[in-house]
Amino acid sequence: MKLLTKSTLAVATCMSLVFSAGSFATESVENDIEKHSYSMGASIGNYLSSQIYNQTELGAQVDVQKVIDGVIDALKNEQKMSDEEVLTYLNERSELLNLLSSQKMKQIALESKQASEAYLAENKNKDSVTITESGLQYEVIKMGEGVKPKAEDVVTVKYKGTMVDGTVFDETTDPVRFALLTAIPGWEEGLRLMPEGSTFRFVIPSELAYGKDGAGDIPGDTALIFEVELVKSEKPSENAKGMGLSGMGMNGAMGSHGSH
């Protein structure tokens, strides 16, 4: 069984495909039929390489040579397993991958939870940090002089969102506008503390963000850090009714109380 590491997998897979198929890959690709045909093979090879890499990253073993043998046998119509057998083993593989993926996500969530709890415990001891009854932690970077938003208002903000390890997962390039009621609980509470023109730093516990399920690239049980500038707060209008996240490109930084 040939096992490949992350650093060698893609190269080894491509090289194995080339050598197993013979020396034709060194020939020039000249006419349109050759180019079309080569593109088909390259597309399949790239797909297989990606699949093998993803599976080995989860801890599933792959015999690359047997993958190559299966492709070549199928092209020659000399498949050594029936279609029913192929389907059976692919279903078994799918179950294994689902199990490994679930285990990996649980481990990531556990590590994220531990890191988040440690960060929250340390951050709350800063003199500049205020903790609300819900557990939201915030710092005032700049205090504005405008009005504070109400729950039903529409806000325009700039922000940067990071994990507790400093990884940036979302950041605005232009101000974004949304109905405050569509925000995650930590944002809804935090923004209502901010006069227009303010910049605050929020540390939001997971229960005020995306909870145990997480969202997108954000693992479950993850605390989130946001530096937020409240550019504008305004009363809802006919144009704002039903305003949510559509088209905002917020990539998990916000959510309609758990939706993404």
Side-chain angles (χ1 to χ4, degrees), residues 129-138 185-186 189-190 193 200 202-203 205 208:
V129 171
T130 301
I131 305 174
T132 69
E133 186 176 344
S134 70
L136 173 68
Q137 300 181 7
Y138 71 92
E189 179 183 3
L193 299 172
F200 280 23
F202 300 138
V203 180
L208 299 178

Coordinates of all heavy atoms in Angstrom, one line a residue, residues 129-138 185-186 189-190 193 200 202-203 205 208:
V129 N -11.7 46.2 29.3 CA -12.8 45.3 28.8 C -14.0 45.4 29.7 O -13.9 45.3 31.0 CB -12.3 43.8 28.7 CG1 -13.5 42.9 28.5 CG2 -11.2 43.7 27.6
T130 N -15.2 45.6 29.1 CA -16.4 45.5 29.9 C -17.2 44.2 29.5 O -17.2 43.8 28.3 CB -17.3 46.7 29.5 OG1 -16.6 47.9 29.9 CG2 -18.6 46.7 30.3
I131 N -17.8 43.6 30.4 CA -18.5 42.3 30.2 C -20.0 42.5 30.5 O -20.3 43.0 31.5 CB -18.0 41.2 31.0 CG1 -16.4 41.0 30.9 CG2 -18.7 39.9 30.7 CD1 -15.8 40.0 31.8
T132 N -20.8 42.2 29.5 CA -22.2 42.4 29.7 C -22.8 41.2 30.4 O -22.1 40.1 30.6 CB -23.0 42.6 28.3 OG1 -22.9 41.3 27.6 CG2 -22.3 43.7 27.5
E133 N -24.1 41.2 30.8 CA -24.7 40.1 31.5 C -24.7 38.9 30.6 O -24.7 37.8 31.2 CB -26.1 40.5 31.9 CG -26.9 39.5 32.7 CD -28.2 40.0 33.2 OE1 -28.5 41.2 33.1 OE2 -29.0 39.2 33.6
S134 N -24.8 39.0 29.3 CA -24.9 37.8 28.4 C -23.5 37.2 28.3 O -23.4 36.0 27.8 CB -25.4 38.3 27.1 OG -24.4 39.0 26.4
G135 N -22.4 37.9 28.6 CA -21.1 37.3 28.4 C -20.3 38.0 27.3 O -19.1 37.7 27.1
L136 N -21.0 38.9 26.6 CA -20.2 39.7 25.5 C -19.2 40.5 26.2 O -19.4 41.2 27.2 CB -21.2 40.6 24.8 CG -20.6 41.5 23.8 CD1 -20.0 40.8 22.6 CD2 -21.7 42.5 23.3
Q137 N -18.0 40.5 25.6 CA -16.9 41.3 26.1 C -16.6 42.4 25.0 O -16.5 42.1 23.8 CB -15.6 40.5 26.3 CG -15.8 39.4 27.3 CD -14.5 38.6 27.5 OE1 -13.4 38.9 27.0 NE2 -14.6 37.5 28.3
Y138 N -16.4 43.6 25.5 CA -16.2 44.7 24.5 C -15.2 45.7 25.0 O -15.1 45.9 26.2 CB -17.5 45.3 24.0 CG -18.2 46.2 25.0 CD1 -17.9 47.6 25.1 CD2 -19.1 45.7 25.9 CE1 -18.6 48.4 26.0 CE2 -19.8 46.5 26.8 CZ -19.5 47.9 26.8 OH -20.1 48.7 27.8
P185 N -26.6 37.2 17.7 CA -26.9 37.9 19.0 C -25.8 38.8 19.5 O -26.0 39.9 20.0 CB -27.1 36.7 20.0 CG -27.6 35.6 19.1 CD -26.9 35.8 17.8
G186 N -24.5 38.4 19.4 CA -23.4 39.2 19.9 C -23.3 40.5 19.2 O -23.0 41.6 19.8
E189 N -26.5 42.8 20.2 CA -26.3 43.4 21.5 C -25.2 44.5 21.4 O -25.3 45.6 22.0 CB -25.9 42.3 22.5 CG -25.7 42.9 23.9 CD -25.3 41.9 24.9 OE1 -25.1 40.7 24.6 OE2 -25.1 42.3 26.1
G190 N -24.0 44.1 20.8 CA -22.9 45.0 20.8 C -23.2 46.3 20.1 O -22.8 47.4 20.6
L193 N -24.9 49.1 21.8 CA -24.2 49.8 22.8 C -23.4 51.0 22.2 O -22.8 51.8 22.9 CB -23.2 48.9 23.5 CG -23.8 47.7 24.3 CD1 -22.7 46.8 24.7 CD2 -24.6 48.2 25.5
F200 N -15.8 49.8 18.2 CA -15.6 48.9 19.3 C -14.9 47.6 18.9 O -14.9 47.3 17.7 CB -17.0 48.5 19.9 CG -17.6 49.6 20.8 CD1 -17.3 50.9 20.7 CD2 -18.6 49.2 21.7 CE1 -17.9 51.9 21.5 CE2 -19.2 50.1 22.5 CZ -18.9 51.5 22.5
F202 N -15.3 43.7 19.8 CA -16.1 42.7 20.5 C -15.3 41.4 20.6 O -14.7 40.9 19.6 CB -17.4 42.4 19.7 CG -18.3 43.6 19.5 CD1 -18.9 43.9 18.3 CD2 -18.5 44.5 20.6 CE1 -19.7 45.0 18.2 CE2 -19.3 45.6 20.4 CZ -19.9 45.8 19.2
V203 N -15.4 40.7 21.7 CA -15.1 39.3 21.8 C -16.3 38.6 22.1 O -16.9 38.7 23.2 CB -14.0 39.1 22.9 CG1 -13.7 37.6 23.0 CG2 -12.7 39.8 22.6
P205 N -18.6 35.3 22.7 CA -18.6 33.8 23.0 C -19.4 33.1 22.0 O -20.3 33.6 21.3 CB -19.3 33.8 24.4 CG -19.1 35.1 25.0 CD -19.2 36.1 23.8
L208 N -23.2 33.3 21.7 CA -23.7 34.5 21.1 C -23.3 34.7 19.6 O -23.6 35.7 19.0 CB -23.2 35.7 21.9 CG -23.6 35.8 23.4 CD1 -22.9 37.0 24.0 CD2 -25.1 35.8 23.5

